[in-house]
Amino acid sequence: EVQLVESGGDSVQPGGSLRLSCTTSGFKFDDYTIGWFRQAPGKERQGISCLSNSDGTTYYEESVKGRFTMSSDNVKNTAYLHMNNLTVEDTAIYTCAATPVGCYYPSDYVISLYSSWGQGTQVTVAS
């Protein structure tokens, strides 16, 4: 059974940092791309980052570029989203997903190729 479980969400002050984890099982982690998505209240889901474990390709949405970084631990089958200099606009539910396709700009078509999703973890940034 394929599973993705997010953890690490929390409430932090602006300027703070968090590391989200996406622990996976049930598929060959090394061959998959892990993507991070977020949905803020009243807004549509947004693809913010992905990392291909097979070739190392990454993508970062413009608003998080330079502040967020993805990494993977292929022994633990876990992907991470390192978030620095958080702002109130980063408040959202963060969800990870897996696809056997490479890491590409998250168009609606590419998002449809993510076959497995986690349940999400809440990140709240407030002073």
Side-chain angles (χ1 to χ4, degrees), residues 29-94:
F29 186 77
D30 293 3
D31 291 345
Y32 274 66
T33 290
I34 302 297
W36 282 98
F37 301 81
R38 68 184 181 187
Q39 187 163 19
K43 294 188 177 181
E44 293 187 355
R45 182 178 57 191
Q46 179 187 35
I48 59 169
S49 181
C50 60
L51 168 63
S52 167
N53 288 319
S54 62
D55 66 10
T57 301
T58 57
Y59 162 82
Y60 296 99
E61 195 272 333
E62 197 61 34
S63 69
V64 307
K65 201 174 291 185
R67 300 188 299 124
F68 292 10
T69 304
M70 281 193 68
S71 65
S72 284
D73 184 330
N74 288 14
V75 174
K76 295 182 178 179
N77 292 337
T78 298
Y80 302 98
L81 182 66
H82 307 264
M83 306 189 296
N84 296 314
N85 195 21
L86 286 160
T87 72
V88 294
E89 288 75 28
D90 295 317
T91 295
I93 296 173
Y94 285 71

Side-chain angles (χ1 to χ4, degrees), residues 3-48:
Q3 284 192 322
L4 293 89
V5 179
E6 303 91 341
S7 61
D10 205 346
S11 295
V12 296
Q13 293 187 339
S17 299
L18 283 174
R19 186 186 76 168
L20 303 184
S21 300
C22 175
T23 302
T24 74
S25 60
F27 61 95
K28 195 171 187 299
F29 186 77
D30 293 3
D31 291 345
Y32 274 66
T33 290
I34 302 297
W36 282 98
F37 301 81
R38 68 184 181 187
Q39 187 163 19
K43 294 188 177 181
E44 293 187 355
R45 182 178 57 191
Q46 179 187 35
I48 59 169

Side-chain angles (χ1 to χ4, degrees), residues 87-109:
T87 72
V88 294
E89 288 75 28
D90 295 317
T91 295
I93 296 173
Y94 285 71
T95 305
C96 63
T99 177
V101 178
C103 172
Y104 298 102
Y105 171 82
S107 63
D108 288 347
Y109 171 69

